Amino acid sequence: MSSYIQEKINLFQQQNKNRARLLINCPDQPGIVATVSKFLYEHNANIIESNQYSADPEGGEFFIRIEFEAPDLKTKAKQLEEDFQSIAQEFSMDWKFTYVDNIKKMAIFVSREPHCLLELLWEWQSGDLMADISLVISNHETSREMVENLGIPYYYIPANKDIRAEVEKKQLKLLEDYQIDVIVLARYMQILTPEFVEVHKHRIINIHHSFLPAFIGANPYERAYNRGVKLIGATSHYVTNDLDEGPIIDQDISRVDHRDNAADMKKIGQSVERSVLARAIKWHLEDRIIVHGNKTIVF
Amino acid sequence: MSSYIQEKINLFQQQNKNRARLLINCPDQPGIVATVSKFLYEHNANIIESNQYSADPEGGEFFIRIEFEAPDLKTKAKQLEEDFQSIAQEFSMDWKFTYVDNIKKMAIFVSREPHCLLELLWEWQSGDLMADISLVISNHETSREMVENLGIPYYYIPANKDIRAEVEKKQLKLLEDYQIDVIVLARYMQILTPEFVEVHKHRIINIHHSFLPAFIGANPYERAYNRGVKLIGATSHYVTNDLDEGPIIDQDISRVDHRDNAADMKKIGQSVERSVLARAIKWHLEDRIIVHGNKTIVF
Amino acid sequence: MSSYIQEKINLFQQQNKNRARLLINCPDQPGIVATVSKFLYEHNANIIESNQYSADPEGGEFFIRIEFEAPDLKTKAKQLEEDFQSIAQEFSMDWKFTYVDNIKKMAIFVSREPHCLLELLWEWQSGDLMADISLVISNHETSREMVENLGIPYYYIPANKDIRAEVEKKQLKLLEDYQIDVIVLARYMQILTPEFVEVHKHRIINIHHSFLPAFIGANPYERAYNRGVKLIGATSHYVTNDLDEGPIIDQDISRVDHRDNAADMKKIGQSVERSVLARAIKWHLEDRIIVHGNKTIVF
Amino acid sequence: MSSYIQEKINLFQQQNKNRARLLINCPDQPGIVATVSKFLYEHNANIIESNQYSADPEGGEFFIRIEFEAPDLKTKAKQLEEDFQSIAQEFSMDWKFTYVDNIKKMAIFVSREPHCLLELLWEWQSGDLMADISLVISNHETSREMVENLGIPYYYIPANKDIRAEVEKKQLKLLEDYQIDVIVLARYMQILTPEFVEVHKHRIINIHHSFLPAFIGANPYERAYNRGVKLIGATSHYVTNDLDEGPIIDQDISRVDHRDNAADMKKIGQSVERSVLARAIKWHLEDRIIVHGNKTIVF
């Protein structure tokens, strides 16, 4: 990694060394907020931001994300988590604490078209995408130069559906070696097997080049052109075993008209893809997304 | 019709008595624009606005819409159209002249939910929808009062799929009696038969409450909610025999998030439906739309 | 008021008889959320929605809005408010409880152009604007018919800057007689005196037909046209003594281009005005807005 | 320039060697379109796209942009332009032919913040910004590496208001040496003198980080934050002698809320700046903009 970016990361970690996030979902019931906020107060934690949502006020699921600061957080984290166990048990919570200075390790998968990769590298260089981009994996050599120029390892692994098993084996090995936390499919045009997806459940973010559920599958721009739509879109979502059916994180669209042919739509759409993917990744990095069934709560 | 609106229409007709539009599509070939513009020049017509489009510069279809003014247009219109015949023949044109002061007669079909009807009546009252709303046909009594208050006849014709034939017979009779030019399905929740559609081809505008081709058919908001989309949309299109498959005129979307349930999405979506439908109708009234295959050119 | 709307209001009140909101702002300090949520929990209140914001995590102002339900709220409200006093004192809170079934009484002021008034009446009829529109005051007769048709009293009070004092006296008398909670200037083209504004501080919502702070004052569309802007906008804000300088509630824009003259911009802009004003009013009615200095927090 | 980009440019030039644009403005009068289209037809030119606009149908200014193809254009261009002279004279036209394979030479000026420069380099690399980026001039060293990596010369010229004259002398010399056609101020935070502007009239494109005319001058994000706006914007415009008062090419906005401080607004705004500037430049490169008074017609 270039020293310029390393410096930005160091500064960020320094500034956030006492900052953490608590994410909870559990059956809705009275007293959750009172109990959790009392707990944090008693542990000297100052709440910076808090978001909550009840799927159904009358007996549904409850979700909350709290970002807080506490002095000497590093030395107290372990105790904090231990102390929280009894509350978690009482309310049957799914929960986790994450620590903001614990920068997530990211792998980017890309095929031939570099626009989404470029956007992520751009945001990363400018300090807006606070991740450790540990490696790029591609089935093409196209983007090697721009990736290596930034000091990021680039792995060329040819791929097609006939050699899927051995390809994924190599990829999974790399992800393990680099201890990857989040995988971004930045227009990686290969389908992943259920085995791969299972290993990294809710940690693989894909960008699909249509406003799902319209135009699931291949060639969405061409099909959008043939249908004569007046809007084209892009969708970022977590990858599941059902193609383009995973929990949607974000979507956006751009206006097109009769003058735009399929190639124009593709160009216009690439700009939407870039921003929708970047936004989803940032929310994921900031632990703003809770997956619930096949939907996302984005705080 | 109330005298207030009649006055607006009269003024509009007076202001536009010398204004017409010429719409053409034909195989693309050199010399079309030169020939047509020479023709208009020689007939003393001043071009106010002109839009053209070639589906494929190398031998595809050519489309043009010209709005022009000519002194004493009313007395010269017949001659103009006759003189144009030889050009039309030479270039194998589909063509028509329309005269701006020839206000189109509109029928609005509505079921129980009045939001789209209300929008159209609103735009109409404020002079922004220059049509003669000749009648409203509904399978419910809900909107009678607000329609009749504006001096528009309201026909209650109960409808369901078992009595479709006789219902459409009554409707077609009314459309004929009133010499209707354009039919708006302002959330009319009944399917029209191929026979009905054939009689009024490219003259029936529907609003579908999703961004087509996503959520074709019934209950799109509920299905959008279940899919966890982050955008909901609406689509205005000409009605064809294939449900929700006709040429799209306009689409738009609104952002939603995890807090919005199906009922919220419906409310948010109604606002999108209103504006998308009103826009499509205005373009139709101004002869801005050319249907080509299953697409629209909107000038 | 028509019985149709009265029914909607009655139903809404019935559904929300146990629902209330608590709005607080106070100096930020540890323990606020813990204390307030414990208080609500102990009073059997179930939190439905909660939003908070700290202007500056290190010692700034803290804001929270909590919507909750409690059984038999009506009989307990007084006690609840009394019990809360000690907490309020401890944290130096500005605070209020509001009760959702306590429908706010609204007066609408309008001049000659009815588009904003019409939008509000439309939203009101469809049950999306939950207020008691008690009266309309206008310096023109233009909108009398449509207002009285809905059973709303219409007061015609001619106004100009020379008779401002006596005009406002009449208006203030009416507002008092009707016990008005919120005043909407739905394109009321008269300036209010500081005396008037003082009486109804943070209760007067205006719509200005530009994206403030661009084009403060008169004729914004004409000035926008002359400047050659590519976007026109609208701004809803609370009225203060400084013309068009009050706390902004919401803004939106629409795209225009070189073909749009000042009249076109006005038409396009009216649609923006309608939605921006309606949105602001709904947020106010739902007690979602806290004014802080010259800004708004919108929860 | 890297060979990768050079290849893209070569291909583009090859594909467009017979393509040209004709831009005209002149007093509106009958017969312009007829005459010009006849002229092109007689010169074997096939019209690909044509856009026209009359500022005022009754005796105002007329504008037209025609993109056409003609076989062997290169050998016929001179004759074409000569033949056009008599038409131009007859109608008192301002006019020019431009040839699409004649790639424009561009200079980019930048200060410390690289986001707009990066966007342009990105679009350029992906072949979407068809220009010859001949050099980058900056008063900082920040962006040298990324610019030189792409094979573009980088000139560091320290600048401040005390040494403006000599700085501009150096800059103008470079612009002359490189035969620059268009200058982009990609967040170049120095004011240019009238002398500089005069030399490159309507060839200097600036991005201002507000929706003009709001927040003219310095620190717009901070002032937007202080005013409590709910939208922030960006404006691309041609530079004139009046600061931020030149003809606007494009504008766009992004939504913000009370949680966004001035630094957040700046980050959100940078994304708007990037797209608004890139769009304006593309339109300029495609000869889509005609400056008329202090406005632009964008075809």
Side-chain angles (χ1 to χ4, degrees), chain B residues 84-204:
Chain B
F84 193 72
Q85 303 251 14
S86 60
I87 291 176
Q89 217 150 18
E90 184 191 342
F91 289 93
S92 308
M93 291 174 171
D94 272 350
W95 61 285
K96 65 171 172 182
F97 285 89
T98 65
Y99 301 92
V100 177
D101 68 349
N102 196 357
I103 302 290
K104 289 185 181 64
K105 289 173 194 299
M106 184 187 292
I108 302 176
F109 283 49
V110 68
S111 286
R112 198 180 279 115
E113 296 189 347
H115 57 284
C116 284
L117 171 64
L118 268 165
E119 177 74 14
L120 300 182
L121 296 177
W122 186 92
E123 297 263 10
W124 186 61
Q125 283 177 274
S126 57
D128 291 341
L129 194 92
M130 204 36 79
D132 172 349
I133 302 186
S134 307
L135 78 163
V136 171
I137 294 176
S138 180
N139 54 340
H140 292 276
E141 285 284 14
T142 331
S143 305
R144 179 181 292 278
E145 195 181 328
M146 72 177 88
V147 168
E148 291 186 341
N149 272 347
L150 292 165
I152 302 170
Y154 188 88
Y155 292 90
Y156 168 56
I157 305 179
N160 62 59
K161 66 179 174 2
D162 299 328
I163 54 170
R164 194 153 286 157
E166 52 187 301
V167 166
E168 288 196 350
K169 205 175 147 193
K170 284 185 211 167
Q171 292 170 338
L172 284 168
K173 176 71 167 55
L174 281 168
L175 298 176
E176 208 186 328
D177 290 351
Y178 281 94
Q179 298 178 280
I180 291 303
D181 298 305
V182 54
I183 299 154
V184 176
L185 307 185
R187 297 298 306 276
Y188 180 65
M189 309 304 283
Q190 300 289 319
I191 289 171
L192 302 178
T193 66
E195 291 72 35
F196 190 107
V197 172
E198 187 55 34
V199 178
H200 293 283
K201 202 180 170 185
H202 297 168
R203 296 196 301 197
I204 312 174

Side-chain angles (χ1 to χ4, degrees), chain A residues 219-234:
Chain A
N219 299 321
Y221 290 126
E222 203 168 310
R223 287 152 65 205
Y225 171 71
N226 290 333
R227 179 61 187 93
V229 299
K230 302 296 186 183
L231 301 176
I232 53 166

Side-chain angles (χ1 to χ4, degrees), chain B residues 247-296:
Chain B
I248 293 172
I249 303 169
D250 195 24
Q251 306 188 281
D252 210 346
I253 56 94
S254 193
R255 202 160 270 281
V256 293
D257 69 25
H258 60 266
R259 286 166 300 197
D260 299 305
N261 60 28
D264 297 330
M265 287 187 179
K266 187 174 160 177
K267 275 206 184 178
I268 293 166
Q270 288 181 343
S271 172
V272 184
E273 294 169 36
R274 287 160 58 189
S275 60
V276 168
L277 178 60
R279 219 146 53 204
I281 293 172
K282 281 185 214 172
W283 291 339
H284 181 94
L285 294 176
E286 295 175 1
D287 305 303
R288 294 193 171 277
I289 313 176
I290 299 178
V291 177
H292 180 56
N294 204 42
K295 298 185 188 181
T296 61

Side-chain angles (χ1 to χ4, degrees), chain B residues 29-38 52 62 64, chain D residues 33-34 37 47:
Chain B
Q29 58 199 289
I32 305 171
V33 177
T35 305
V36 173
S37 53
K38 182 162 170 278
Q52 63 182 81
F62 176 85
I64 193 165
Chain D
V33 177
S37 52
I47 296 176

Side-chain angles (χ1 to χ4, degrees), chain B residues 4 49 51 114-116 118-119 122-123 125-128 142 145-146 149 259 267 270 274-275, chain C residues 4 49 51 114-116 118-119 122-123 125-128 142 145-146 149 259 267 270-271 274:
Chain B
Y4 171 72
E49 186 185 337
N51 294 283
H115 57 284
C116 284
L118 268 165
E119 177 74 14
W122 186 92
E123 297 263 10
Q125 283 177 274
S126 57
D128 291 341
T142 331
E145 195 181 328
M146 72 177 88
N149 272 347
R259 286 166 300 197
K267 275 206 184 178
Q270 288 181 343
R274 287 160 58 189
S275 60
Chain C
Y4 171 74
E49 187 186 336
N51 294 282
H115 57 283
C116 285
L118 268 166
E119 177 74 14
W122 186 92
E123 298 263 9
Q125 281 178 274
S126 56
D128 292 339
T142 331
E145 195 180 328
M146 71 177 90
N149 272 348
R259 285 167 301 199
K267 275 205 183 178
Q270 288 182 343
S271 173
R274 287 160 59 190

Side-chain angles (χ1 to χ4, degrees), chain D residues 121-171:
Chain D
L121 296 177
W122 186 93
E123 297 262 11
W124 187 62
Q125 283 178 274
S126 56
D128 291 341
L129 195 92
M130 204 37 78
D132 173 350
I133 302 186
S134 308
L135 77 162
V136 170
I137 294 175
S138 179
N139 54 340
H140 293 276
E141 285 285 13
T142 331
S143 306
R144 178 181 292 278
E145 196 180 328
M146 72 177 89
V147 169
E148 293 186 340
N149 272 348
L150 292 166
I152 303 168
Y154 188 89
Y155 292 90
Y156 168 56
I157 305 179
N160 62 59
K161 65 179 175 358
D162 300 328
I163 55 171
R164 193 154 285 160
E166 53 187 301
V167 166
E168 288 196 349
K169 205 175 147 195
K170 283 185 211 167
Q171 293 170 337

